[in-house]
Amino acid sequence: MELAQPRDLGQDLALGKRRHNELCRQKRVFNARNRIVGGDTEAWDIQVRDQKIKEATEKARHETFAAEMRHNDKITCILEGRERRDKRSLCKAINDFQQSFQRPETRREFDLSDPLALKKDLPARQSDNDIRNTISGMQKFMGEDLNFRERKKFQEEQNREWSLQQQREWEDARAHQRCAEDLYLKTRLQFDETAKHLQNLESATRKAVCVAVKEFNKSQATESLERKIQEKKQEQEDNVAEISNLLHGDLLSENPQQAASSFGPHRVVPDRWKGMTQEQLEQIRLVQKQQIQEKLRLQEEERQRDMDWDRRRVQMARAVLLLERQQRRQQRDLRRALDCNNLSLAKEQRLQKKHMEEICTNEPTEDYFTQFNTRSR
């Protein structure tokens, strides 16, 4: 008969406790009703609070966006006016360029009136993929599609790639949106702290301004009283001086130099002026001739400047046209290379799929699935 040691009893007790906890956990985990219908009020409260914070943040962001939109509308109006002016200038340059350099031989529809069109024309049909095989041409009939399987597989593979690309773009967009929301929340908190500090500074500044304004008003009242007294004294002195000047002035004494103005030699007193001298008239005519010559020179410079700008716009339009043609050629070459690459990839995938079907012949039985979901962890 074996005796139970205290250490064995402790191990048996711990093992039984773990088994009991495991059974209780399995009842909670595998009970579909409690797992689906049960509610977590704390989690709901946290969700409601987060939703309110999110709504307040969204409202502040909408207000900021509205202010930015109003500012952008003003900028857009200015840019639209500038764009209309530029567009008129560009249209004028394009019309000049077309009239000068785009002759009938270089036009796209010149082949309709080309006298050598029959010699340059192609046969009625070159292959099944000829784009000129229309229904009315009766060169290709239903049932003659030789590339149906390859085209269908290529379209399925292309749809799968597009679906994967959309999933990746959607995940990237969600990640960018979360980063933007976190950054906006941090910026909003910093703005709130700055606004509180500025409000405290504003209240202190307002009190200091009130005290300074009160002192300034007192000093202004004292200065106004003294200024009125000084003005009254000055007025009396001016009246006495005016009477003296009238008695001894040029008006009553009929001085011939009385028409000269005190503002300069080029100014006169209208009611005393007797007319211009011959030297003054000659000087005025000379200045007018100089102004006419200067105006003609400015007009000639402006005409030369406009001609330079027109020549630059025509050169720029020509460069843009050549660049667009080169880009179209590059895009055609790139598309052809991509089509060839896709055909090779489709061929390799078909071979790989056929090889996997030949290798993978075993199928999972019912015993393979019964070994899962036997514990709660």
Side-chain angles (χ1 to χ4, degrees):
M1 181 177 181
E2 297 180 356
L3 297 177
Q5 298 293 329
R7 184 176 61 183
D8 297 335
L9 294 176
Q11 292 178 355
D12 293 339
L13 181 61
L15 183 60
K17 187 175 181 181
R18 285 199 299 270
R19 288 176 180 175
H20 178 70
N21 293 334
E22 180 66 21
L23 292 176
C24 293
R25 179 177 175 82
Q26 290 180 2
K27 290 180 180 180
R28 291 195 307 271
V29 171
F30 295 122
N31 190 347
R33 180 177 179 82
N34 292 335
R35 189 173 65 252
I36 297 175
V37 180
D40 190 357
T41 57
E42 294 180 358
W44 290 348
D45 294 337
I46 293 173
Q47 291 176 0
V48 170
R49 186 170 62 254
D50 293 341
Q51 184 66 24
K52 290 181 178 180
I53 294 173
K54 184 178 180 181
E55 290 177 355
T57 305
E58 190 71 19
K59 182 178 179 181
R61 186 173 64 178
H62 287 327
E63 292 177 356
T64 305
F65 287 165
E68 292 181 356
M69 288 176 64
R70 288 192 295 270
H71 180 67
N72 292 333
D73 289 339
K74 295 180 181 179
I75 297 175
T76 303
C77 293
I78 297 172
L79 293 178
E80 284 180 354
R82 187 181 301 171
E83 184 179 0
R84 286 194 294 271
R85 293 193 299 270
D86 295 340
K87 189 178 292 183
R88 286 196 297 269
S89 301
L90 181 60
C91 290
K92 181 180 178 182
I94 290 174
N95 291 330
D96 296 338
F97 178 78
Q98 290 177 351
Q99 294 176 2
S100 301
F101 301 97
Q102 292 182 346
R103 296 186 298 276
E105 293 80 4
T106 60
R107 294 180 181 175
R108 185 188 305 174
E109 62 274 11
F110 179 71
D111 56 347
L112 299 177
S113 59
D114 190 3
L116 302 177
L118 296 177
K119 294 182 179 180
K120 299 178 181 178
D121 197 6
L122 297 175
R125 177 178 179 180
Q126 291 181 342
S127 62
D128 291 336
N129 297 326
D130 194 349
I131 60 175
R132 297 179 296 111
N133 291 340
T134 58
I135 297 176
S136 61
M138 300 183 67
Q139 297 293 328
K140 183 178 179 181
F141 299 93
M142 295 296 294
E144 293 184 354
D145 191 2
L146 304 178
N147 299 324
F148 172 75
R149 294 182 180 179
E150 289 79 4
R151 187 178 68 255
K152 184 176 180 181
K153 290 182 180 180
F154 174 74
Q155 290 176 352
E156 291 176 355
E157 182 65 23
Q158 190 176 22
N159 291 331
R160 187 178 68 83
E161 292 294 333
W162 286 349
S163 178
L164 294 176
Q165 184 179 1
Q166 289 177 356
Q167 292 179 1
R168 291 194 296 270
E169 292 177 354
W170 183 72
E171 292 176 357
D172 295 338
R174 289 188 61 187
H176 288 308
Q177 184 178 4
R178 287 195 295 269
C179 294
E181 289 176 356
D182 294 338
L183 180 60
Y184 178 78
L185 181 59
K186 294 179 181 179
T187 307
R188 190 65 184 176
L189 294 175
Q190 185 177 1
F191 284 168
D192 292 339
E193 293 177 358
T194 306
K196 184 177 180 181
H197 179 64
L198 292 176
Q199 186 176 5
N200 295 332
L201 292 177
E202 184 180 3
S203 60
T205 306
R206 190 181 293 111
K207 292 179 181 179
V209 168
C210 291
V211 175
V213 169
K214 186 176 181 181
E215 295 295 331
F216 178 77
N217 290 333
K218 289 181 180 180
S219 63
Q220 287 292 104
T222 305
E223 291 177 2
S224 178
L225 181 59
E226 293 178 356
R227 186 170 57 253
K228 287 181 180 179
I229 296 172
Q230 187 68 23
E231 288 176 356
K232 186 175 182 181
K233 182 178 179 182
Q234 185 67 30
E235 185 179 359
Q236 292 176 357
E237 294 177 357
D238 292 339
N239 292 333
V240 173
E242 184 178 1
I243 294 171
S244 177
N245 291 332
L246 289 175
L247 293 174
H248 302 88
D250 295 332
L251 180 62
L252 298 178
S253 62
E254 297 182 356
N255 188 0
Q257 300 295 330
Q258 62 182 351
S261 176
S262 61
F263 294 101
H266 62 284
R267 301 287 295 274
V268 295
V269 180
D271 57 347
R272 302 175 186 176
W273 188 54
K274 301 301 181 179
M276 298 176 62
T277 61
Q278 191 66 25
E279 292 79 5
Q280 292 176 346
L281 293 175
E282 292 294 334
Q283 184 68 23
I284 289 174
R285 294 190 184 95
L286 180 61
V287 171
Q288 289 178 350
K289 290 181 180 179
Q290 292 177 356
Q291 290 178 352
I292 292 172
Q293 293 176 0
E294 182 66 19
K295 185 176 181 180
L296 293 175
R297 186 182 62 81
L298 293 176
Q299 290 179 354
E300 181 65 22
E301 290 180 356
E302 185 176 1
R303 189 178 66 81
Q304 292 294 335
R305 187 165 52 253
D306 293 340
M307 291 177 63
D308 292 340
W309 278 110
D310 293 338
R311 185 170 60 257
R312 291 180 183 179
R313 283 193 293 269
V314 170
Q315 292 176 357
M316 187 178 297
R318 186 186 304 170
V320 170
L321 181 62
L322 294 176
L323 182 60
E324 289 179 354
R325 291 179 179 176
Q326 184 179 1
Q327 288 180 353
R328 286 196 294 268
R329 288 195 297 269
Q330 292 178 356
Q331 289 177 358
R332 273 199 311 272
D333 297 338
L334 183 61
R335 184 63 184 175
R336 291 173 183 173
L338 183 61
D339 292 340
C340 295
N341 191 15
N342 291 334
L343 290 175
S344 62
L345 289 175
K347 184 176 180 180
E348 292 178 359
Q349 289 178 357
R350 288 196 301 271
L351 294 176
Q352 184 178 3
K353 184 177 179 181
K354 183 177 180 181
H355 180 66
M356 293 299 296
E357 290 178 354
E358 293 176 357
I359 294 176
C360 300
T361 56
N362 56 339
E363 296 182 358
T365 60
E366 193 69 25
D367 297 334
Y368 175 75
F369 297 100
T370 57
Q371 63 181 340
F372 300 103
N373 202 17
T374 57
R375 298 182 62 184
S376 62
R377 298 185 184 274

